[in-house]
Amino acid sequence: MPKYLKWLFTFGVVLVLQSMAYATDGYKLWLDYKTISDSTLLKEYQSLVGSVQAYGNSETIEKANRELHEGLSGLLGMNAKKLKGTYSIVIGTYQTLPKDIASQFSNGLENINEEGYVIKSLGNHIVITAKTDIGVLYGAFNFLKRLQTQRSIENLNITDSPKIDIRILNHWDNLDRSVERGYAGFSLWNWHQLPDYKDPRYEDYARANASIGINGTVLTNVNSNALVLTPQYLEKVKALADIFRPYGLKVYLTARFSAPMEIGGLQTADPLDANVKTWWKNKVEEIYTYIPDFGGFLVKANSEGQPGPQNYGRNHVDGANMMAEALAPFNGVVMWRAFVYSEHDATDRAKQAYNEFVPHDGQFKDNVIIQVKNGPIDFQPREPFHPMFGAMPNTNLMIEFQITQEYMGGATHLVYQPKLFEEVFEADTYQKGKGSTVAKVIDGSLHNKKITGVAGVSNIGTDRNWTGHHFLQANWYGFGRLAWDPYLNSEDIAKEWTRMTFSNKAKFVDKVADMMITSREAVVNYMTPLGLHHIMATGHHYGPGPWVGNLSRPEWNPVYYHKADSKGIGFDRTPSGSNATAQYAPEVAAMFNNLTSCPEKDLLWFHHVQWSYKLKNGHSLWNGMALKYQEGVNQVAQMQTTWNQLENDVDAQRFNEVKMMLNIQYKEAKWWKDACLLYFQQFSKMELPKGVEAPAHTLEYYQNLQFPYAPGIRPQW
Ligand code: GCV
């Protein structure tokens, strides 16, 4: 072979290999527009899709146009400019569309809100329109999704609008690029190189968020650093905001309450002090000169050592309203976190946030929204819904989920979290009688709220596949979908994601979705079955640590939560115990208080139960608990079996990576089971029942395990 041919051949092989690697490393997320492999369907789509006609000059319309071109070219296997199918794809807002097309929507757009969209077949057109440019972009993504998931594109008449205003990621990213509770590499934000070096990944991040309707991002950790509010950093924040803007993604920052002292030279940060108020007013004005559409602040105050208004004898209302006043002229909001508990308060930690906030219902300004974690403790594998959701009808409340898996095995455990999110949204607060679900509180419909919001603590980092584990992309995806519409079904979302990310083969989709759905209960079973909670190791929170009882703050100790003794196990939160149940509506409280009506999944959250207590399946509590732990391990084993059966349907890289992760998950599920059962057995003094595998090591062995460099640990702890 002539030399030049050899060279060409080698070059070609390298190119092909490179593109294969790129296509399968997970970087493209659910937006990998692979050509449709079913040739009949491909031909059908090619015969239906014509040219894209975009109306409007904004950057957002340009992005929508580009997305459609890229998406259609990829999915339909030919340059989109050459498509000659029946329907041209017409995009534009109601105002920019040609008059003859727009006039056919005279009433249509009344059904959507500012971010909603309409996709409608009209003669030889498929029209994607909206009131705003961003609505058009959302519609374009939705249209592409129809092709990605192989649905019909004929006779379309789709209207869709987000049900919640603020759909936001919270990055717990530090300025040194470490990520608190982050398991997918470093922070995406390269502060040192910004604002001059604009990593293309910033745009990819914004685009991915837009594709699922996420419209806000808090760039910095709630354990905050005031430096981000200085001009040196605001310039960098501006660079990011400029990149994100065409994708409808607003930037927010965490505001350190003591910033007026730390970067402002004041002697106090007292929210009622005139100089402090002026300082924040000026600071906010300054921020808006950099970022005219800045979203506002997220604040963690008087919580886990963060400064706040209580340092000055003031309360949350004083602090939040002071910041809200500064932001109001610019339509900015304050997201004020309710994650508070104090070492000086001896009451059950699960009660403290409610006690601090509920008496202030109705006192917060209109542009304050209180951000409440989904459950009353801290993102445990399962928690009952937070009682504040049923108790503050006159206050804007938003929900906070943790997408990153601080308490669910970091990025090595496949846990499909939208199932958890759905469970919380469906919970009934009974605030206005039956049917007063958390979803209705959060979407504002129960109390007619003006600002609504859903936050998710991000699981994103610099790892090539963004989330550390291919399947954890589904949690980012599903978070966005449920933030858009909290009434969606998590199983449908799992299938949709699987189709877009891996394959449309029906059998594959069913098996993968089944595995994802199972994974949610599996993690509860092998870590904290029957309502157990907060029994993880200290600091890094990696692995089991039910024996920990020596930490300086009582409510940091696992023994505080499980209260195992010779009689039984569990935290009595009924009127005979801490009476935390009284924070729920009477119907809910009655259900939790009664041992037989309390759902067994929450049993040990609310009751201290005797080891011999008979569960609904007839087993004693001890046997039932041991069997649950085993069930969790078995479920992971089943997930491994399922995945191994799918080898031929997945590219080698992702197949192997997921396989290795599942092996880790299986090992760690057994570790949790063995360590917890050995520890609790000291109290129950009962044998493990038939069907539960004997532990691999002694309790001492598990107690001595150390992981000084486990990822995600708080730098200061
Ligand atoms: C950002 C838990 C986590 C902390 C986190 C805190 C919070 O305590 O362990 O890392 O801090 O929640 O939500 O503020």
Side-chain angles (χ1 to χ4, degrees):
M1 194 191 293
K3 238 187 178 171
Y4 78 94
L5 269 186
K6 254 193 196 163
W7 185 86
L8 260 182
F9 177 74
T10 318
F11 184 62
V13 169
V14 168
L15 271 186
V16 168
L17 286 178
Q18 256 185 359
S19 72
M20 272 169 63
Y22 184 67
T24 60
D25 63 9
Y27 184 84
K28 292 187 178 180
L29 298 161
W30 48 88
L31 298 172
D32 185 1
Y33 298 120
K34 272 195 309 276
T35 304
I36 290 163
S37 54
D38 175 337
S39 56
T40 320
L41 190 69
L42 179 63
K43 278 201 188 105
E44 190 187 321
Y45 279 147
Q46 285 170 343
S47 72
L48 293 174
V49 179
S51 61
V52 178
Q53 295 164 19
Y55 296 93
N57 295 320
S58 74
E59 268 190 88
T60 302
I61 295 293
E62 211 176 278
K63 302 291 182 202
N65 192 11
R66 198 184 73 188
E67 194 69 35
L68 284 167
H69 272 94
E70 275 180 20
L72 293 174
S73 300
L75 288 162
L76 305 187
M78 60 193 282
N79 187 336
K81 290 199 178 110
K82 300 207 170 116
L83 284 166
K84 296 212 166 44
T86 317
Y87 305 107
S88 53
I89 315 299
V90 178
I91 67 168
T93 61
Y94 184 66
Q95 293 76 16
T96 56
L97 283 180
K99 286 273 167 310
D100 59 320
I101 296 182
S103 62
Q104 305 196 47
F105 287 95
S106 47
N107 294 321
L109 300 194
E110 279 169 15
N111 299 334
I112 58 169
N113 63 28
E114 290 301 296
E115 292 173 291
Y117 57 85
V118 177
I119 307 178
K120 199 168 164 62
S121 304
L122 280 177
N124 286 344
H125 304 309
I126 291 173
V127 184
I128 303 174
T129 189
K131 291 180 177 165
T132 57
D133 293 336
I134 189 64
V136 175
L137 180 62
Y138 290 154
F141 276 117
N142 186 280
F143 177 70
L144 287 168
K145 179 159 69 184
R146 292 194 77 78
L147 297 169
Q148 286 178 284
T149 54
Q150 307 193 346
R151 278 178 295 166
S152 165
I153 53 164
E154 289 190 276
N155 303 315
L156 296 177
N157 192 5
I158 301 167
T159 56
D160 196 11
S161 294
K163 293 193 164 55
I164 290 171
D165 306 325
I166 302 174
R167 308 176 298 278
I168 193 165
L169 289 180
N170 288 184
H171 286 268
W172 286 356
D173 294 15
N174 300 312
L175 298 184
D176 63 2
R177 295 193 81 184
S178 62
V179 181
E180 184 159 341
R181 311 310 181 185
Y183 310 99
F186 292 97
S187 167
L188 288 185
W189 328 130
N190 191 331
W191 295 110
H192 187 65
Q193 292 178 356
L194 280 164
D196 300 315
Y197 188 87
K198 297 179 175 77
D199 188 331
R201 197 161 187 173
Y202 301 146
E203 180 166 353
D204 293 340
Y205 163 85
R207 171 175 165 257
N209 279 315
S211 75
I212 49 176
I214 290 176
N215 66 358
T217 180
V218 184
L219 299 176
T220 44
N221 191 352
V222 287
N223 291 327
S224 54
N225 187 330
L227 273 187
V228 79
L229 303 176
T230 60
Q232 185 193 1
Y233 278 89
L234 288 175
E235 240 189 280
K236 299 168 192 279
V237 175
K238 173 189 162 42
L240 290 175
D242 290 344
I243 297 169
F244 298 166
R245 188 168 298 110
Y247 291 95
L249 191 66
K250 265 193 191 181
V251 160
Y252 299 67
L253 292 172
T254 44
R256 188 161 164 86
F257 204 78
S258 48
M261 297 160 78
E262 288 163 17
I263 57 169
L266 300 189
Q267 295 301 310
T268 176
D270 181 347
L272 300 192
D273 181 284
N275 292 329
V276 171
K277 285 184 183 183
T278 309
W279 187 85
W280 280 109
K281 232 175 129 260
N282 293 341
K283 180 50 70 186
V284 165
E285 263 173 39
E286 183 189 0
I287 294 174
Y288 279 90
T289 61
Y290 288 91
I291 308 146
D293 55 352
F294 178 64
F297 293 139
L298 170 64
V299 188
K300 173 175 177 178
N302 293 120
S303 163
E304 297 187 332
Q306 292 299 300
Q310 292 170 354
N311 298 25
Y312 308 94
R314 316 295 181 196
N315 60 32
H316 292 293
V317 180
D318 299 325
N321 284 354
M322 179 271 295
M323 287 192 181
E325 238 167 74
L327 286 156
F330 306 93
N331 296 321
V333 301
V334 178
M335 297 174 289
W336 190 270
R337 291 177 92 229
F339 178 67
V340 295
Y341 61 99
S342 161
E343 69 266 47
H344 307 299
D345 188 344
T347 40
D348 175 3
R349 172 173 162 189
K351 292 172 67 175
Q352 295 184 25
Y354 179 106
N355 288 347
E356 270 193 48
F357 280 85
V358 173
H360 296 298
D361 186 30
Q363 296 170 9
F364 292 95
K365 288 199 177 290
D366 283 353
N367 60 332
V368 174
I369 181 161
I370 305 297
Q371 181 165 310
V372 185
K373 288 190 180 180
N374 62 274
I377 297 287
D378 192 7
F379 300 137
Q380 294 301 293
R382 170 167 282 130
E383 298 197 23
F385 71 86
H386 202 301
M388 280 176 69
F389 294 128
M392 296 191 78
N394 304 307
T395 303
N396 298 320
L397 292 182
M398 66 191 284
I399 195 165
E400 176 178 347
F401 293 114
Q402 191 180 46
I403 313 173
T404 190
Q405 294 183 175
E406 174 180 359
Y407 299 105
M408 286 183 258
T412 45
H413 291 211
L414 191 172
V415 180
Y416 178 62
Q417 294 207 46
K419 187 85 187 127
L420 180 165
F421 307 155
E422 177 185 56
E423 184 179 302
V424 180
F425 280 133
E426 284 177 350
D428 199 341
T429 69
Y430 275 82
Q431 195 177 11
K432 282 181 152 183
K434 195 169 166 43
S436 307
T437 59
V438 172
K440 287 188 189 164
V441 175
I442 296 305
D443 76 4
S445 57
L446 197 68
H447 304 296
N448 228 343
K449 282 286 139 50
K450 295 239 165 45
I451 327 178
T452 56
V454 176
V457 180
S458 156
N459 63 346
I460 301 163
T462 49
D463 278 6
R464 182 72 190 159
N465 67 16
W466 301 84
T467 53
H469 186 310
H470 293 287
F471 272 87
L472 301 188
Q473 297 177 353
N475 294 343
W476 177 10
Y477 182 88
F479 167 78
R481 300 288 290 124
L482 282 163
W484 177 279
D485 182 349
Y487 303 95
L488 292 177
N489 176 288
S490 65
E491 200 159 335
D492 293 344
I493 298 174
K495 288 187 176 162
E496 182 178 283
W497 175 82
T498 304
R499 285 172 180 276
M500 294 164 84
T501 310
F502 284 109
S503 157
N504 271 284
K505 276 194 196 157
K507 234 178 162 179
F508 177 86
V509 173
D510 286 347
K511 285 197 163 181
V512 168
D514 199 48
M515 178 174 94
M516 291 164 77
I517 297 295
T518 306
S519 71
R520 187 275 174 280
E521 209 56 44
V523 74
V524 175
N525 289 338
Y526 65 72
M527 286 187 178
T528 53
L530 299 168
L532 283 173
H533 51 287
H534 210 289
I535 55 172
M536 67 289 162
T538 301
H540 48 60
H541 297 168
Y542 169 64
W547 45 81
V548 176
N550 60 353
L551 304 177
S552 58
R553 290 176 61 162
E555 76 286 4
W556 280 348
N557 288 303
V559 296
Y560 170 96
Y561 297 94
H562 63 67
K563 301 206 185 303
D565 57 24
S566 60
K567 290 203 190 95
I569 182 169
F571 198 127
D572 183 0
R573 294 194 162 102
T574 70
S576 60
S578 79
N579 203 19
T581 51
Q583 295 182 335
Y584 291 97
E587 294 89 336
V588 182
M591 175 189 61
F592 287 145
N593 282 338
N594 184 318
L595 205 51
T596 42
S597 60
C598 180
E600 280 187 351
K601 62 184 171 63
D602 298 318
L603 193 64
L604 306 179
W605 186 284
F606 290 111
H607 295 270
H608 190 75
V609 183
Q610 297 202 348
W611 293 113
S612 57
Y613 172 80
K614 216 175 205 187
L615 294 170
K616 294 200 172 96
N617 60 10
H619 286 296
S620 67
L621 173 68
W622 168 252
N623 281 359
M625 176 194 287
L627 287 163
K628 276 276 170 209
Y629 270 108
Q630 184 66 49
E631 188 183 337
V633 174
N634 297 348
Q635 284 167 314
V636 180
Q638 183 53 49
M639 286 157 63
Q640 289 179 295
T641 308
T642 305
W643 187 247
N644 288 340
Q645 288 165 355
L646 302 173
E647 179 162 12
N648 295 333
D649 298 312
V650 189
D651 51 273
Q653 183 176 351
R654 286 188 296 180
F655 175 79
N656 286 322
E657 287 174 2
V658 171
K659 186 177 165 148
M660 288 189 283
M661 289 295 198
L662 283 170
N663 289 343
I664 297 176
Q665 188 171 358
Y666 179 66
K667 270 196 347 211
E668 295 188 354
K670 288 213 290 193
W671 168 29
W672 270 89
K673 166 187 91 64
D674 290 352
C676 293
L677 288 179
L678 281 172
Y679 171 74
F680 292 134
Q681 196 173 32
Q682 299 179 111
F683 302 96
S684 80
K685 305 226 182 310
M686 294 160 109
E687 291 296 309
L688 289 177
K690 209 166 142 242
V692 177
E693 286 165 25
H697 301 280
T698 62
L699 176 59
E700 207 188 355
Y701 167 87
Y702 295 113
Q703 287 176 320
N704 285 333
L705 293 174
Q706 301 284 330
F707 304 96
Y709 302 112
I713 194 159
R714 297 177 68 158
Q716 65 273 43
W717 283 8

Coordinates of all heavy atoms in Angstrom, one line a residue, residues 194-233:
L194 N -11.6 32.5 34.7 CA -12.6 33.4 34.3 C -12.2 34.8 34.6 O -11.4 35.0 35.5 CB -13.9 33.1 35.1 CG -14.8 31.9 34.6 CD1 -15.8 31.5 35.7 CD2 -15.5 32.3 33.3
P195 N -12.7 35.8 34.0 CA -13.7 35.8 32.9 C -13.1 35.6 31.5 O -13.9 35.5 30.6 CB -14.3 37.2 33.0 CG -13.1 38.1 33.4 CD -12.3 37.2 34.3
D196 N -11.8 35.6 31.4 CA -11.3 35.6 30.0 C -11.4 34.3 29.3 O -11.7 34.2 28.1 CB -9.8 36.0 30.0 CG -9.7 37.4 30.6 OD1 -10.5 38.3 30.2 OD2 -8.8 37.6 31.5
Y197 N -11.1 33.2 30.0 CA -11.2 31.9 29.4 C -12.6 31.3 29.6 O -13.0 31.0 30.7 CB -10.2 30.9 30.0 CG -10.1 29.6 29.2 CD1 -9.3 29.5 28.1 CD2 -10.9 28.5 29.6 CE1 -9.2 28.3 27.4 CE2 -10.9 27.4 28.8 CZ -10.0 27.3 27.7 OH -10.0 26.1 27.0
K198 N -13.3 31.2 28.5 CA -14.7 30.7 28.6 C -14.8 29.3 28.1 O -14.8 29.0 26.9 CB -15.6 31.6 27.8 CG -15.6 33.0 28.3 CD -16.5 34.0 27.5 CE -16.6 35.3 28.1 NZ -15.4 36.2 27.9
D199 N -14.7 28.4 29.1 CA -14.7 27.0 28.7 C -16.0 26.6 28.0 O -17.1 27.0 28.5 CB -14.7 26.2 30.1 CG -14.5 24.7 29.9 OD1 -14.9 24.2 28.8 OD2 -13.9 24.0 30.8
P200 N -15.9 26.0 26.8 CA -17.2 25.6 26.1 C -18.1 24.8 26.9 O -19.3 24.8 26.6 CB -16.6 24.8 24.9 CG -15.2 25.0 24.8 CD -14.7 25.5 26.2
R201 N -17.6 24.2 28.0 CA -18.5 23.4 28.8 C -19.6 24.2 29.5 O -20.6 23.7 29.8 CB -17.7 22.6 29.8 CG -18.4 21.5 30.4 CD -17.5 20.5 31.1 NE -18.3 19.4 31.5 CZ -17.8 18.2 32.0 NH1 -16.5 18.1 32.1 NH2 -18.6 17.2 32.4
Y202 N -19.3 25.5 29.7 CA -20.3 26.4 30.3 C -21.6 26.4 29.5 O -22.7 26.4 30.0 CB -19.7 27.8 30.6 CG -18.5 27.9 31.4 CD1 -17.5 28.8 31.2 CD2 -18.3 27.0 32.5 CE1 -16.4 28.9 32.0 CE2 -17.1 27.0 33.3 CZ -16.2 28.0 33.0 OH -15.1 28.1 33.8
E203 N -21.3 26.5 28.2 CA -22.5 26.6 27.3 C -23.2 25.2 27.3 O -24.5 25.1 27.3 CB -22.1 27.0 25.9 CG -23.4 27.1 25.0 CD -23.2 27.8 23.7 OE1 -22.1 28.5 23.5 OE2 -24.1 27.8 22.9
D204 N -22.4 24.2 27.2 CA -23.0 22.8 27.2 C -23.9 22.6 28.5 O -24.9 22.0 28.5 CB -22.0 21.7 27.2 CG -21.2 21.8 25.8 OD1 -21.8 22.3 24.9 OD2 -20.1 21.2 25.7
Y205 N -23.4 23.1 29.6 CA -24.1 23.0 30.9 C -25.5 23.8 30.8 O -26.5 23.3 31.1 CB -23.3 23.6 32.0 CG -24.0 24.0 33.3 CD1 -24.2 23.0 34.2 CD2 -24.4 25.3 33.5 CE1 -24.8 23.3 35.4 CE2 -25.0 25.6 34.7 CZ -25.2 24.6 35.7 OH -25.9 25.0 36.9
A206 N -25.4 25.0 30.2 CA -26.6 25.8 30.1 C -27.6 25.1 29.2 O -28.8 25.1 29.5 CB -26.3 27.2 29.6
R207 N -27.1 24.6 28.1 CA -28.0 24.0 27.1 C -28.7 22.7 27.7 O -29.9 22.5 27.5 CB -27.1 23.6 25.9 CG -27.7 22.7 24.9 CD -26.8 22.5 23.7 NE -27.3 21.4 22.9 CZ -26.7 20.2 22.9 NH1 -25.7 19.9 23.7 NH2 -27.2 19.3 22.1
A208 N -27.9 21.9 28.4 CA -28.5 20.7 29.1 C -29.6 21.2 30.0 O -30.7 20.6 30.1 CB -27.4 19.9 29.8
N209 N -29.4 22.2 30.8 CA -30.4 22.7 31.7 C -31.6 23.2 31.0 O -32.7 22.8 31.4 CB -29.8 23.8 32.6 CG -29.0 23.2 33.8 OD1 -29.4 22.2 34.4 ND2 -27.8 23.8 34.0
A210 N -31.4 23.9 29.9 CA -32.5 24.4 29.2 C -33.4 23.3 28.6 O -34.6 23.3 28.5 CB -32.1 25.3 28.0
S211 N -32.7 22.2 28.2 CA -33.4 21.1 27.6 C -34.4 20.4 28.5 O -35.3 19.8 28.1 CB -32.4 20.0 27.1 OG -31.9 19.3 28.1
I212 N -34.2 20.7 29.8 CA -35.2 20.1 30.8 C -35.9 21.2 31.6 O -36.5 20.9 32.6 CB -34.4 19.1 31.8 CG1 -33.2 19.7 32.3 CG2 -34.1 17.8 31.0 CD1 -32.4 18.8 33.4
G213 N -35.7 22.4 31.1 CA -36.5 23.5 31.7 C -35.9 24.1 33.0 O -36.6 24.9 33.7
I214 N -34.7 23.8 33.4 CA -34.1 24.4 34.5 C -33.8 25.9 34.2 O -33.2 26.1 33.1 CB -32.9 23.6 35.0 CG1 -33.3 22.3 35.6 CG2 -32.1 24.4 36.0 CD1 -32.2 21.4 36.0
N215 N -34.2 26.8 35.0 CA -34.0 28.2 34.6 C -33.2 29.0 35.6 O -33.2 30.3 35.6 CB -35.4 28.9 34.4 CG -36.3 29.0 35.6 OD1 -35.8 28.5 36.7 ND2 -37.4 29.6 35.5
G216 N -32.6 28.4 36.6 CA -31.8 29.1 37.5 C -30.6 28.3 38.0 O -30.7 27.0 38.1
T217 N -29.5 28.9 38.4 CA -28.4 28.2 39.0 C -27.8 29.1 40.1 O -27.5 30.3 39.8 CB -27.4 27.8 38.0 OG1 -26.4 27.1 38.6 CG2 -26.8 28.9 37.1
V218 N -27.6 28.5 41.3 CA -26.8 29.2 42.3 C -25.4 28.7 42.2 O -25.2 27.5 42.4 CB -27.4 28.9 43.7 CG1 -26.7 29.7 44.8 CG2 -28.9 29.2 43.8
L219 N -24.5 29.6 41.9 CA -23.2 29.1 41.5 C -22.3 28.6 42.7 O -21.4 27.9 42.6 CB -22.4 30.2 40.8 CG -23.0 30.8 39.5 CD1 -22.2 31.9 39.0 CD2 -23.0 29.7 38.5
T220 N -22.7 29.2 43.9 CA -21.7 29.0 45.0 C -22.4 28.3 46.2 O -23.6 28.3 46.4 CB -21.2 30.3 45.5 OG1 -22.3 31.3 45.5 CG2 -20.2 30.9 44.6
N221 N -21.5 27.7 47.0 CA -21.9 26.9 48.2 C -22.7 27.8 49.2 O -22.4 28.9 49.4 CB -20.7 26.4 48.9 CG -20.9 25.4 50.0 OD1 -22.1 25.1 50.3 ND2 -19.9 24.8 50.5
V222 N -23.7 27.1 49.8 CA -24.5 27.8 50.9 C -23.6 28.1 52.1 O -23.9 29.0 52.9 CB -25.7 27.0 51.3 CG1 -26.8 27.1 50.2 CG2 -25.4 25.6 51.6
N223 N -22.6 27.2 52.3 CA -21.6 27.6 53.3 C -20.7 28.6 52.5 O -19.7 28.2 51.9 CB -20.8 26.4 53.8 CG -21.7 25.5 54.6 OD1 -22.6 25.9 55.3 ND2 -21.5 24.2 54.5
S224 N -21.0 29.8 52.7 CA -20.6 30.8 51.6 C -19.3 31.5 51.9 O -18.8 31.6 53.1 CB -21.7 31.7 51.3 OG -22.1 32.3 52.5
N225 N -18.8 32.1 50.9 CA -17.6 32.9 50.9 C -17.9 34.3 50.4 O -18.4 34.4 49.2 CB -16.5 32.3 50.1 CG -15.2 32.9 50.2 OD1 -15.1 34.1 50.4 ND2 -14.1 32.2 50.0
A226 N -17.8 35.3 51.2 CA -18.2 36.7 50.8 C -17.4 37.2 49.6 O -17.9 38.1 48.9 CB -18.0 37.7 52.0
L227 N -16.3 36.6 49.3 CA -15.4 37.1 48.2 C -16.2 37.1 46.9 O -15.9 38.0 46.0 CB -14.2 36.3 48.1 CG -13.0 36.6 48.9 CD1 -11.8 35.7 48.4 CD2 -12.6 38.1 48.7
V228 N -17.1 36.2 46.7 CA -17.8 36.2 45.4 C -18.6 37.4 45.2 O -19.0 37.7 44.0 CB -18.7 34.9 45.3 CG1 -20.0 35.0 46.1 CG2 -18.9 34.5 43.9
L229 N -18.8 38.2 46.2 CA -19.6 39.5 46.0 C -18.7 40.7 45.7 O -19.1 41.8 45.6 CB -20.4 39.7 47.3 CG -21.4 38.7 47.7 CD1 -22.2 39.0 49.0 CD2 -22.5 38.4 46.6
T230 N -17.4 40.4 45.6 CA -16.4 41.5 45.3 C -16.3 41.7 43.8 O -16.6 40.7 43.0 CB -15.0 41.2 45.9 OG1 -14.5 40.0 45.3 CG2 -15.1 41.1 47.4
P231 N -15.9 42.9 43.3 CA -15.8 43.1 41.9 C -15.0 42.1 41.2 O -15.3 41.7 40.1 CB -15.2 44.5 41.8 CG -15.6 45.2 43.1 CD -15.7 44.1 44.1
Q232 N -13.9 41.7 41.8 CA -13.0 40.7 41.2 C -13.8 39.4 40.8 O -13.5 38.9 39.7 CB -11.9 40.3 42.2 CG -10.9 39.4 41.7 CD -10.0 38.8 42.8 OE1 -10.3 39.1 44.0 NE2 -9.0 38.1 42.5
Y233 N -14.7 39.0 41.6 CA -15.5 37.8 41.3 C -16.7 38.1 40.5 O -17.2 37.3 39.6 CB -15.8 37.0 42.5 CG -14.6 36.2 42.9 CD1 -13.7 36.6 43.8 CD2 -14.5 34.9 42.4 CE1 -12.6 35.9 44.1 CE2 -13.4 34.1 42.7 CZ -12.4 34.6 43.6 OH -11.4 33.8 43.9

